[in-house]
Amino acid sequence: MTIDGLHIIASFFSYFWIVSPIKFVEIRVGGDRMNGAESLVKTFLHNGLDTVFANPGTSEMHFVAALDRHPEMNCLLCLFEGGTTGAADGYYRMKRDVAGTLLHLAPGLGNAFANLHNARKSGSGIVNVVGDHATHHLRYESPLRGDITGLSRAISHWTRVSDQATSVASDGAAAIQAARSQNGQIATLVLPADTAWDTATGLAANSVLAQPLHRPSLENIEAAAMRLMTANAALMIGGSALFGPLRALAGKISVKTGCRLLADTLIPRISKGAGAVKLDQLVYPIEPKIAQLEQTSSITLIGADQPVAFFAYPGKPSTPEPAGCTVSSLCAPTDDIAWTLQSLADAAGVSSKTQLNTYALDLPPIPTGGLTLAKVGQTLAALIPENAIVCNESVTSGFHVIPPIATARPHDLLGGTGGAIGLCLPCATGAAIACPDRKVIALTGDGSAMYTLQSLWTMARESLDVTVIVFANRGYQILRDELANVGVESFGKNAEAMFDVENPTLDWVALAKGHGVPGTRIEDTDSFVKALSAGLSRDGPSLIEVMCPPAS
């Protein structure tokens, strides 16, 4: 097959990631009167959006009533708006299609902002519906009046305000199309109350004209193939190249060219465990990250941005590559990743006979005795079920817990992407909704989990198969580490008071019980093995509070 031929794998993935102008077709429903909200729900369903994570208020009641008239729409109540957007993010990462959120005016969108930031960084497609006051009411300075469009434009790729009921359906179809474009975008539709309750004429379906995502030139493809064959070259992949068949294709390119295969620190989703193609993932701290790339001569990016330090530090560089290392973006995260990888494989001479370098299944023995983070990681590696989904926001504990699972049974790992904490529990909720047949394990620190602990309630209400592990180190340990990173060698009671979550001490067993989730506290390895085994063997949610042990 030639380099510009029709590649099966590229065609398969490009089918799902189409960017095109939209021609909207209004479908009138004979004999049925409907309002704008009803037309929006019908449009969502007609265009394949059938899940909404909601936290509604008064201005959204007509939309709620319309959702209620369509039991085929899966509606999930989240008790905090950050839970809705975090869940929609996790849903997209696993489903590879968009869900909706329902938010209440400017404060609701504001509460949702942090996890929309994470979703934007992960490249997730989400359709936000934000209710607003009726248009004639906006002239008054009512308590909930706010700058919804200003908030939206700060985080969304696409924002529109429906100005009349008859346009709500086409606006909804446009929002879905925008959210599915560019490999996933944030689309926000503002729905004034009167456009929801006024009479509409029908639903809207979008007619998609097949126009592929942006692709690099063949000259750039061939130049990249030659560059990857030089000494100490690296290929850094991201997005859909980190899992599934594209990960395997990237692995073959690495073997054929001799280049090093890399992934960045914060990734939305990555295949892990036995059978996954081996790659090196950049670590969080800047100095070890610099050491990882010390001899690298070039980095070619496909579906990934240039690696960068998480923060600026006094006397340290912002980017980790050595002087003289060229960083070339062959394919942006919003471009046609599948086509680019296949074309690069053709240019490099990859064939069906090219071997893969994969992780072998190597389950550690189940440990016993005193509890350490290393033993927690070994236990996870031994017990993770095949095809599980692991959501990780354990931050400092994860440095020790995550490495052993590289040779566990095959699974997917979902990580933080935007650095805004409070992602794990909502992300696990959305992943469990997207993949009800797969076990979900949520790894979180106690400080992070407090941001969105309301997601435990949604897990309980929906009987989601999520095992939550809370590492209780009684504080924001990452902040203690960062204080040292910026050169502060000692600190007193004011700083300590901003880092710990003691006095009073958080009781995660009680917090879980209060949200309807059974919980247990463990302080030794045998108890952890027993609790994790029980959580993975049962249907429905459970929580394990790990009294955070030493690092080794």
Side-chain angles (χ1 to χ4, degrees):
M1 184 177 293
T2 62
I3 189 170
D4 56 349
L6 179 62
H7 311 303
I8 295 176
I9 187 170
S11 299
F12 174 79
F13 276 89
S14 296
Y15 173 82
F16 289 97
W17 311 122
I18 295 296
V19 182
S20 65
I22 308 169
K23 179 174 68 178
F24 294 106
V25 180
E26 183 184 67
I27 302 174
R28 293 180 178 268
V29 182
D32 290 338
R33 288 179 58 83
M34 69 174 72
N35 59 23
E38 178 81 7
S39 73
L40 183 58
V41 174
K42 288 183 178 292
T43 295
F44 278 5
L45 289 168
H46 188 79
N47 288 281
L49 192 163
D50 62 3
T51 298
V52 174
F53 299 96
N55 190 289
T58 301
S59 54
E60 295 82 50
M61 285 301 101
H62 286 83
F63 190 59
V64 170
L67 291 169
D68 187 53
R69 288 191 290 271
H70 293 274
E72 65 271 38
M73 180 68 81
N74 188 18
C75 300
L76 302 107
L77 177 61
C78 301
L79 301 185
F80 175 63
E81 293 89 343
T84 69
T85 49
D89 181 7
Y91 181 95
Y92 183 89
R93 296 190 199 192
M94 296 309 305
K95 191 78 169 182
R96 309 309 295 168
D97 203 359
V98 300
T101 72
L102 178 56
L103 307 171
H104 185 44
L105 293 116
L109 180 57
N111 282 340
F113 196 98
N115 273 331
L116 283 176
H117 169 81
N118 288 328
R120 182 175 177 125
K121 291 292 186 178
S122 72
S124 291
I126 297 175
V127 176
N128 300 308
V129 177
V130 185
D132 198 3
H133 290 300
T135 52
H136 61 269
H137 196 65
L138 287 172
R139 73 188 72 174
Y140 306 107
E141 193 57 43
S142 58
L144 282 169
R145 181 177 180 271
D147 187 2
I148 297 175
T149 56
L151 281 168
S152 177
R153 287 171 180 154
I155 196 63
S156 304
H157 299 85
W158 181 99
T159 300
R160 182 176 296 178
V161 180
S162 288
D163 58 1
Q164 56 187 346
T166 54
S167 70
V168 168
S170 59
D171 292 342
I176 295 172
Q177 181 66 13
R180 287 175 173 158
S181 298
Q182 303 290 292
N183 292 330
Q185 298 190 126
I186 309 299
T188 299
L189 176 64
V190 183
L191 187 65
D194 53 333
T195 67
W197 72 52
D198 283 347
T199 301
T201 54
L203 60 94
N206 53 25
S207 177
V208 180
L209 306 176
Q211 180 180 340
L213 296 166
H214 179 266
R215 296 170 173 177
S217 68
L218 297 183
E219 291 77 10
N220 285 344
I221 292 282
E222 291 164 355
M226 294 297 295
R227 184 168 59 248
L228 292 175
M229 294 178 188
T230 61
N232 298 317
L235 173 62
M236 176 172 280
I237 56 175
S240 56
L242 289 171
F243 57 89
L246 294 186
R247 171 77 170 271
L249 189 58
K252 288 190 174 185
I253 293 170
S254 173
V255 169
K256 188 66 178 181
T257 62
C259 75
R260 183 183 181 192
L261 192 61
L262 292 175
D264 209 345
T265 309
L266 301 183
I267 43 83
R269 175 182 172 185
I270 188 170
S271 297
K272 299 282 285 186
V277 167
K278 287 186 177 180
L279 54 68
D280 295 325
Q281 189 168 357
L282 297 183
V283 297
Y284 171 88
I286 183 59
E287 290 181 348
K289 185 179 291 188
I290 291 171
Q292 282 182 292
L293 298 176
E294 188 174 10
Q295 300 298 322
T296 307
S297 61
S298 69
I299 301 174
T300 300
L301 306 171
I302 295 183
D305 293 316
Q306 179 179 4
V308 62
F310 207 87
F311 297 104
Y313 301 100
K316 298 176 184 177
S318 291
T319 59
E321 74 277 3
C325 174
T326 60
V327 180
S328 305
S329 180
L330 182 62
C331 174
T334 55
D335 292 346
D336 195 334
I337 297 171
W339 184 90
T340 302
L341 273 174
Q342 184 60 65
S343 298
L344 182 61
D346 289 346
V350 169
S351 70
S352 59
K353 296 181 180 179
T354 304
Q355 298 298 307
L356 284 174
N357 187 13
T358 61
Y359 292 100
L361 182 65
D362 185 12
L363 302 181
I366 295 177
T368 61
L371 188 65
T372 66
L373 290 174
K375 290 182 180 180
V376 171
Q378 292 166 19
T379 304
L380 280 170
L383 297 181
I384 289 174
E386 185 168 345
N387 210 31
I389 301 167
V390 178
C391 298
N392 178 42
E393 196 181 24
S394 54
V395 194
T396 49
S397 296
F399 297 154
H400 308 280
V401 170
I402 294 300
I405 70 176
T407 58
R409 298 175 185 87
H411 61 280
D412 282 305
L413 177 69
L414 311 185
T417 50
I421 66 175
L423 172 67
C424 182
L425 298 182
C427 186
T429 300
I433 293 293
C435 303
D437 58 333
R438 299 177 67 172
K439 291 282 184 181
V440 179
I441 302 171
L443 308 176
T444 180
D446 50 0
S448 300
M450 282 300 295
Y451 277 58
T452 47
L453 81 166
Q454 306 92 338
S455 294
L456 293 173
W457 183 89
T458 304
M459 293 177 191
R461 167 179 270 208
E462 303 297 330
S463 299
L464 301 182
D465 198 1
V466 181
T467 301
V468 178
I469 301 173
V470 177
F471 294 96
N473 61 13
R474 305 305 187 204
Y476 297 104
Q477 182 59 43
I478 189 67
L479 297 184
R480 297 188 181 101
D481 295 344
E482 289 295 352
L483 200 64
N485 287 339
V486 299
V488 178
E489 297 180 358
S490 63
F491 54 88
K493 67 177 183 178
N494 284 344
E496 182 62 35
M498 288 183 280
F499 297 161
D500 73 52
V501 290
E502 296 182 286
N503 190 29
T505 299
L506 295 171
D507 184 342
W508 277 97
V509 174
L511 288 168
K513 181 180 179 181
H515 288 79
V517 174
T520 184
R521 180 179 296 110
I522 65 97
E523 299 186 29
D524 61 80
T525 300
D526 293 339
S527 297
F528 179 67
V529 171
K530 181 179 178 180
L532 181 59
S533 299
L536 295 176
S537 64
R538 59 170 289 170
D539 295 327
S542 61
L543 181 142
I544 306 169
E545 181 181 19
V546 177
M547 305 307 293
C548 213
S552 59

